[in-house]
Amino acid sequence: MTIAGTDSGGGAGINADLRTMALLGVHATAAVAAVTVQNSLGVSGFHPIPPEVVVGQIRTVVTDIGIGAAKTGMLASGDIINAIVDAAGDLGIGRDRTIPLVVDPVCASMHGDRLLADEAMDSLRGKLIPIATLITPNLDEVRLITGIEVTDRASQEAAARDLHALGAQWALVKGGHLRTDARSPDLLFDGSDFIELTAKRIDTGHDHGAGDTLAAAITCALAHGYSVPDAVQFGKSWVTRSLAAAYPLGAGHGPVNPLWRLGD
């Protein structure tokens, strides 16, 4: 299940999640948390869905169809986050529970548009992250959550430690925006050991939806029974291939393209 916002431009959010989930052989379910007004140039507005409606979507699916794993994306408000966390315990979603939860802490778009209300940051840090099986922030989100500006391996490790200290079982600090390194290094941390995952950096300006696609691929791998490290490695390989197949769209950033899979 993906619990996130829509993207009217079709490149990110639930739209991106559903593409990857379908291509990875799972039946994708969705709980819409917000509706955005956006295109390739940015987000011009968004409308949060009432918290009880968000939770209703989750509960009605889990209690009937069931889910193997879940991910969150854009959650828009503290009230929505609080309602999801309250329901997660009853439904067995989250770390140390039956259904693993991947938290993609979407705070702002790639253009810098805010996608999470200021008051919601406390709920993200204090309630949602502590129930995460895995958290997958990019470097801008790391800075907003921890205050750490990641510029090298030492600060990347410090950020991973801080994210784990907030309660996440595993923390993944992505290195895609760490332009000083040609390998695009991601760092995974479980509270004791660091695992570095690298891939060839793809030189493209069309990377809209990369974070959503990565988190969705990891969630699918967890639903298929992968361990967290194996799921993250799979997700990184998936998004690297999707970046290599990205295409231009509109006047701004085009989307990553998991449809490369159809050509294999």
Side-chain angles (χ1 to χ4, degrees):
M1 168 173 273
T2 171
I3 308 163
T6 65
D7 176 355
S8 52
I14 281 180
N15 309 59
D17 294 340
L18 296 180
R19 277 197 296 273
T20 281
M21 289 175 174
L23 287 161
L24 289 178
V26 303
H27 175 79
T29 60
V32 179
V35 175
T36 71
V37 180
Q38 65 176 296
N39 56 23
S40 69
L41 295 172
V43 180
S44 56
F46 67 86
H47 176 73
I49 302 300
E52 64 274 15
V53 177
V54 178
V55 169
Q57 294 173 82
I58 300 168
R59 189 178 298 278
T60 197
V61 169
V62 173
T63 57
D64 171 37
I65 300 170
I67 59 175
K71 72 170 288 286
T72 62
M74 177 192 177
L75 299 180
S77 75
D79 287 343
I80 291 174
I81 292 173
N82 295 340
I84 291 170
V85 172
D86 288 345
D90 296 338
L91 297 172
I93 301 171
R95 61 167 299 171
D96 303 321
R97 296 171 183 161
T98 305
I99 303 167
L101 176 66
V102 176
V103 172
D104 183 12
V106 177
C107 306
S109 75
M110 65 183 301
H111 304 279
D113 307 298
R114 288 303 297 264
L115 297 176
L116 189 64
D118 290 339
E119 48 82 20
M121 289 301 296
D122 288 340
S123 294
L124 174 65
R125 293 189 191 97
K127 292 192 173 183
L128 186 61
I129 294 176
I131 69 166
T133 305
L134 171 70
I135 183 170
T136 65
N138 63 34
L139 299 189
D140 290 331
E141 291 157 351
V142 166
R143 186 183 68 255
L144 289 170
I145 295 168
T146 69
I148 295 174
E149 186 82 38
V150 175
T151 57
D152 54 21
R153 174 59 181 259
S155 52
Q156 196 175 21
E157 288 187 4
R161 292 186 188 279
D162 273 21
L163 290 167
H164 185 269
L166 288 172
Q169 185 176 1
W170 292 81
L172 178 69
V173 180
K174 297 180 290 190
H177 295 166
L178 196 59
R179 298 298 180 182
T180 58
D181 197 312
R183 301 169 302 152
S184 185
D186 294 352
L187 199 63
L188 182 64
F189 182 59
D190 67 351
S192 59
D193 297 317
F194 290 99
I195 301 172
E196 185 178 73
L197 305 102
T198 61
K200 177 183 177 182
R201 185 179 295 280
I202 304 300
D203 185 16
T204 178
H206 303 302
D207 55 358
H208 187 46
D212 311 82
T213 298
L214 171 68
I218 293 170
T219 304
C220 291
L222 292 173
H224 280 300
Y226 285 43
S227 68
V228 171
D230 287 345
V232 173
Q233 180 63 72
F234 174 82
K236 187 167 179 64
S237 297
W238 178 264
V239 78
T240 298
R241 292 288 301 270
S242 299
L243 280 162
Y247 53 87
L249 187 72
H253 291 274
V256 303
N257 181 21
L259 297 176
W260 63 263
R261 179 71 176 267
L262 297 179
D264 279 9

